[in-house]
């Protein structure tokens, strides 16, 4: 599907703007056949609408004076046929355009979601998930006014107005020109209003995203809110958000109300003027009552699309504002858009090496300084140290969630910054401290990395991570529903499911970020057995606060203030009686 052009880097500091021309090229033109069919249908509907006003003159000037019932029956038949044509074309317009518009919305949502998932981890670290949900689900909805009946009605209404104008000028030039004075004033007001409204609609999308993002956080953290008796505090935050939405809506409604009231007043003036002028011409005998009725009907045909255009204009303005924000998102650079990532890994040994690697989350605030170490294939490298020392940052760099500021990380002597991420991550498994589980069953979560795994592979992972130790007690076993984020399970149970998931994935490289921190002593003992199998013949980088869990590591790196303070095996570091010795003996006393 075509969409707004994606650029690797958005170097322009201005927010991208989607014009009607851009929208026409990217959304309407690829569907030109459907749009053309919609235009044909709306023209047929418009032409059918002319039958009633044109036949009204015949009714008053010919049928009634001559008491011609045969002609009356024919006239009624013609009008009924015209009404039937209008009804059929209206139905087809909905089938052809409105449904196509909804299909396009679903396509765009899928496209934006795909784009979002391709963005780097740093983007998600700085963006609320609720705000992203709003941008994926809400911002694209306005497109229905482009491909749907909105734009077609704008074009069809213009066609109707032009045809009507020609007929009116042929009927009476002065009466027609008189109506142009108030309509011109209304046009000027409408153009200024649209220019004022568009930034308001754009801001509304941003405010909506922020409020939905906060609401998403509130619902996810309801236990924390209740634990600290903070309901009133959260209520006030949400009330401020909806107040901002109200103020924004109030501005747009005020501008729209000005247009609507202006149209009512100015069109009322035009109608009153036509009554006066038409009355004068009828008194003078220059036009018949049938001419006047026909003129009035046709005038309504010309004015109605113009008034409708103000509403359609608001809809198109809102649509373009939403597409502005969608284009802004689509123009962000994805992880795989780096030109240097050209190396495709088919199979790997798993030899990871950090060569003089430094990293900073913010410019000028380096958190890792010249890190050097090697994790040979099949080895276990343990990272220990105080909180904030840089352990998780090293793990993030190893998983390619982060990119080094300087230095080189290699996988099997290949520069990781030049490797296609998907080809590397297919060999990667991660078990985090606060592991994320999806709403659904235990079985679905374990099979997440390999949905097509066999029953034997599933059971192997379940037993290896000792998941069956607790699922055997559940009525539904592995089909037990665990609730959002696994809320119905204990921390140890969630962690064992996460490890089973990693075992089933069968990766070559494993990153364990404090994977045993949520476990009680009994669960930890079980997990240690499963981790032995998980790490067997796999390169493993493990972060652990419980130093008792890493005694058998091939190499232990003590990280302090973003540097490697010590390195060696468990026994070597104890003999050195340095920082590791202090940490280990302190924990042993607890």
């Amino acid at each position: 599907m075509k969409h707004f052009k994606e650029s690797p880097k958005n170097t322009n500091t201005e927010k991208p703007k989607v014009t009607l021309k851009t929208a026409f090229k990217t959304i309407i033109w690829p569907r030109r056949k459907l749009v053309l069919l919609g235009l044909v249908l709306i023209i047929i509907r418009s032409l059918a609408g002319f039958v009633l006003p044109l036949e009204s003159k015949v009714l008053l000037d010919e049928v009634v004076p001559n008491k011609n019932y045969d002609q009356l029956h024919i006239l009624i038949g013609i009008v009924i046929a015209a009404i039937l044509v209008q009804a059929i074309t209206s139905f087809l317009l909905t089938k052809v355009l409105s449904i196509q518009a909804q299909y396009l919305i679903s396509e765009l949502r899928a496209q934006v979601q795909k784009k979002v998932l391709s963005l780097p981890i740093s983007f998600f670290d700085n963006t609320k998930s609720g705000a992203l949900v709003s941008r994926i689900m809400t911002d694209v909805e306005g497109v229905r006014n482009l491909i749907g009946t909105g734009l077609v009605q704008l074009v069809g209404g213009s066609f109707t107005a032009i045809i009507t104008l020609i007929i009116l000028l042929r009927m009476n030039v002065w009466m027609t020109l008189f109506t142009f004075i108030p309509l011109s004033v209304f046009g000027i007001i409408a153009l200024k209003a649209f220019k004022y409204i568009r930034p308001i609609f754009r801001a509304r999308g941003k405010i909506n995203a922020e409020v939905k993002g906060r609401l998403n956080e509130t619902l996810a953290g309801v236990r924390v809110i209740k634990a600290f008796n903070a309901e009133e505090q959260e209520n006030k935050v949400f009330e401020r958000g909806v107040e901002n939405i109200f103020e924004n809506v109030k501005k747009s409604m005020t501008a729209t109300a000005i247009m609507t009231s202006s149209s009512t007043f100015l069109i009322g003036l035009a109608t009153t003027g036509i009554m006066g002028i038409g009355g004068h011409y009828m008194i003078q005998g220059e036009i018949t009552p049938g001419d006047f009725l026909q003129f009035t009907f046709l005038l309504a045909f010309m004015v109605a699309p113009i008034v409708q255009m103000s509403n359609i204009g608001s809809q198109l303005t809102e649509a373009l504002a939403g597409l502005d924000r969608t284009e802004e998102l689509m123009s962000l650079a994805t992880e795989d858009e780096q030109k240097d990532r050209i190396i495709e890994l088919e199979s790997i040994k798993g030899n990871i090496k950090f060569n003089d690697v430094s990293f900073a989350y913010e410019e000028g605030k380096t958190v890792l300084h010249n890190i050097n170490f090697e994790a040979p294939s099949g080895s276990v490298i343990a990272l220990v140290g105080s909180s904030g020392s840089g352990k998780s940052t090293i793990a993030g760099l190893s998983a390619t969630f982060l990119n080094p500021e300087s230095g080189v990380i290699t996988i099997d002597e290949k520069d990781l910054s030049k490797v296609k991420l998907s080809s590397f991550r297919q060999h990667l498994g991660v078990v985090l401290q606060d592991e994320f589980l999806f709403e659904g069953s235990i079985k679905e979560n374990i099979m997440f990395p390999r949905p097509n795994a066999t029953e034997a592979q599933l059971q192997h992972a379940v037993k290896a991570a000792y998941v069956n130790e607790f699922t055997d007690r559940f009525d539904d076993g592995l089909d037990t529903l665990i609730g959002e984020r696994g809320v119905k399970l204990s921390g140890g149970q969630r962690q064992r499911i996460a490890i089973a998931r990693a075992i089933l994935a069968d990766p070559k490289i494993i990153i364990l970020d404090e994977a045993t921190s949520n476990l009680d002593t009994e669960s930890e003992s079980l997990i240690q057995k499963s981790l032995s199998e998980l790490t067997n013949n796999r390169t493993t980088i493990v972060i652990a606060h419980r130093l008792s869990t890493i005694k058998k590591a091939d190499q232990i790196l003590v990280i302090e203030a973003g540097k490697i303070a010590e390195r060696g095996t468990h026994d070597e570091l104890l003999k050195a009686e340095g920082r590791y010795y202090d940490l280990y003996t302190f924990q042993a006393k607890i």
Side-chain angles (χ1 to χ4, degrees):
M1 175 189 145
K2 295 184 179 180
H3 52 70
F4 301 114
K5 183 179 179 182
E6 296 182 20
S7 57
K9 293 183 180 179
N10 185 13
T11 55
N12 193 348
T13 56
E14 291 291 324
K15 291 182 178 179
K17 295 292 181 184
V18 177
T19 63
L20 197 56
K21 181 180 179 181
T22 306
F24 180 84
K25 289 172 62 178
T26 57
I27 294 176
I28 299 171
W29 183 248
R31 296 161 185 82
R32 54 190 177 276
K33 291 182 180 178
L34 278 173
V35 174
L36 181 61
L37 177 58
L39 287 172
V40 171
L41 288 172
I42 204 164
I43 288 171
I44 293 172
R45 189 179 70 177
S46 299
L47 291 174
F50 281 111
V51 171
L52 182 60
L54 293 175
E55 292 300 324
S56 63
K57 171 180 169 58
V58 177
L59 177 67
L60 288 180
D61 292 349
E62 296 180 26
V63 175
V64 174
N66 297 326
K67 298 179 182 181
N68 189 336
Y69 280 97
D70 291 336
Q71 193 175 1
L72 177 63
H73 295 154
I74 294 171
L75 185 147
I76 291 173
I78 293 172
V79 172
I80 290 175
I83 293 172
L84 183 61
V85 169
Q86 286 181 290
I88 293 172
T89 51
S90 294
F91 172 78
L92 292 176
L93 273 170
T94 300
K95 288 287 290 182
V96 171
L97 293 180
S98 297
I99 293 176
Q100 173 64 19
Q102 292 302 320
Y103 174 71
L104 176 58
I105 289 172
S106 66
E107 264 194 320
L108 281 175
R109 281 175 177 156
Q111 190 180 87
V112 175
Q113 191 261 1
K114 182 180 179 181
K115 175 71 178 189
V116 167
L117 286 186
S118 72
L119 296 175
I121 293 293
S122 57
F123 171 80
F124 297 93
D125 291 340
N126 297 308
T127 310
K128 291 182 179 180
S129 58
L132 285 176
V133 170
S134 176
R135 298 185 76 165
I136 293 170
M137 296 301 295
T138 306
D139 284 350
V140 300
E141 284 186 353
V143 79
R144 66 179 179 273
N145 294 316
L146 291 174
I147 198 66
T149 55
L151 189 60
V152 173
Q153 284 177 347
L154 184 66
V155 177
S158 300
F159 169 80
T160 302
I162 292 170
I163 296 297
T164 307
L165 175 62
I166 293 170
I167 297 172
L168 290 176
L169 285 170
R170 294 183 64 181
M171 289 182 65
N172 192 301
V173 175
W174 292 110
M175 288 174 66
T176 304
L177 292 177
F178 178 83
T179 62
F180 265 78
I181 299 173
L183 290 178
S184 299
V185 175
F186 171 71
I188 294 170
I189 294 173
L191 288 173
K192 289 186 176 294
F194 293 148
K195 187 177 180 181
Y196 171 76
I197 288 174
R198 182 168 181 178
I200 296 174
F201 280 132
R202 199 179 201 288
R204 185 183 302 172
K206 184 178 180 181
I207 297 169
N208 268 319
E210 289 174 351
V211 173
K212 288 180 181 178
R214 180 66 183 199
L215 180 59
N216 188 65
E217 290 180 346
T218 299
L219 297 176
V222 68
R223 284 172 173 76
V224 176
I225 293 169
K226 289 186 176 295
F228 288 97
N229 196 31
E231 290 95 335
E232 187 60 34
Q233 176 181 319
E234 282 302 303
N235 289 339
K236 289 180 179 178
V237 171
F238 187 71
E239 285 169 6
R240 283 198 296 271
V242 294
E243 177 70 21
N244 289 337
I245 293 175
F246 166 72
E247 291 296 332
N248 180 279
V249 172
K250 185 170 71 173
K251 287 181 182 178
S252 63
M253 289 184 72
T254 301
T256 304
I258 290 173
M259 283 195 295
T260 305
S261 57
S262 297
S263 66
T264 302
F265 176 72
L266 293 169
I267 291 168
L269 282 180
T271 304
T272 305
I274 293 303
M275 286 179 63
I277 298 173
H280 167 73
Y281 283 133
M282 280 191 290
I283 292 171
Q284 295 295 320
E286 295 183 23
I287 63 174
T288 66
D291 290 329
F292 179 75
L293 181 62
Q294 185 184 62
F295 188 93
T296 306
F297 265 130
L298 290 171
L299 180 62
F301 261 60
M302 185 178 73
V303 170
I306 295 173
V307 175
Q308 189 182 41
M309 285 177 201
S310 65
N311 295 325
I312 296 171
S314 297
Q315 294 171 3
L316 295 179
T317 300
E318 186 174 7
L320 294 177
L323 291 175
D324 270 352
R325 288 167 50 75
T326 301
E327 157 69 354
E328 186 179 299
L329 195 59
M330 296 298 288
S331 66
L332 295 175
T334 66
E335 286 183 313
D336 289 323
E337 282 182 345
Q338 299 173 13
K339 294 180 180 179
D340 293 337
R341 292 195 179 276
I342 56 175
I343 300 175
E344 187 85 33
L345 298 178
E346 294 183 2
S347 62
I348 64 171
K349 296 178 180 178
N351 191 345
I352 298 175
K353 186 175 182 180
F354 275 57
N355 185 15
D356 208 27
V357 173
S358 296
F359 178 80
Y361 289 99
E362 297 178 30
E363 190 174 351
K365 296 181 180 179
T366 305
V367 294
L368 288 183
H369 306 270
N370 310 108
I371 300 296
N372 290 279
F373 74 87
E374 184 171 0
S377 176
S379 65
V380 177
I381 306 298
L383 306 176
V384 302
S386 56
S387 296
S389 60
K391 305 185 299 298
S392 293
T393 302
I394 292 175
L397 288 165
S398 303
T400 63
F401 294 157
L402 305 171
N403 297 312
E405 186 180 66
S406 63
V408 178
I409 304 172
T410 61
I411 174 71
D412 296 343
E413 299 183 353
K414 297 181 179 68
D415 187 348
L416 198 53
S417 67
K418 296 180 180 179
V419 171
K420 290 185 177 180
L421 293 174
S422 57
S423 71
F424 171 71
R425 288 178 182 165
Q426 67 179 333
H427 304 291
L428 177 70
V430 178
V431 181
L432 303 175
Q433 176 183 6
D434 185 19
E435 191 57 75
F436 185 92
L437 299 181
F438 295 92
E439 185 175 7
S441 68
I442 294 172
K443 181 179 179 179
E444 288 169 341
N445 273 277
I446 294 175
M447 296 185 69
F448 181 76
R450 294 178 67 184
N452 299 321
T454 65
E455 183 65 23
Q457 292 169 330
L458 171 65
Q459 290 301 325
H460 169 73
V462 166
K463 292 174 182 177
Y466 295 91
V467 171
N468 60 313
E469 186 269 336
F470 62 87
T471 56
D472 287 346
R473 302 195 301 268
F474 295 162
D475 292 338
D476 295 326
L478 291 175
D479 292 319
T480 300
L481 299 178
I482 62 175
E484 189 175 6
R485 297 180 66 92
V487 70
K488 296 179 181 179
L489 301 175
S490 69
Q493 290 169 340
R494 289 197 297 270
Q495 208 69 357
R496 276 183 268 177
I497 291 173
I499 292 173
R501 181 165 63 188
I503 292 173
L504 186 65
D506 193 23
K508 192 64 181 174
I509 298 170
I510 290 286
I511 295 175
L512 305 173
D513 189 350
E514 301 179 18
T516 60
S517 61
N518 286 332
L519 305 180
D520 53 50
T521 305
E522 182 181 355
S523 294
E524 183 182 347
S525 175
L526 294 173
I527 290 300
Q528 286 304 318
K529 294 177 184 178
S530 65
L531 286 177
S532 296
E533 179 168 341
L534 176 61
T535 59
N536 186 36
N537 293 324
R538 295 183 174 95
T539 306
T540 305
I541 296 177
V542 53
I543 299 172
H545 278 158
R546 294 186 183 184
L547 303 187
S548 59
T549 63
I550 56 169
K551 288 181 180 180
K552 296 181 181 179
D554 296 294
Q555 184 178 193
I556 298 172
L557 305 179
V558 182
I559 313 298
E560 291 296 332
K563 298 179 181 179
I564 299 178
E566 293 179 307
R567 71 177 76 204
T569 63
H570 172 74
D571 293 335
E572 289 171 349
L573 291 174
L574 286 182
K575 288 178 182 178
E577 297 189 1
R579 177 60 177 158
Y580 181 81
Y581 175 84
D582 293 339
L583 291 171
Y584 186 80
T585 52
F586 176 76
Q587 284 193 10
K589 292 176 184 177
I590 298 176

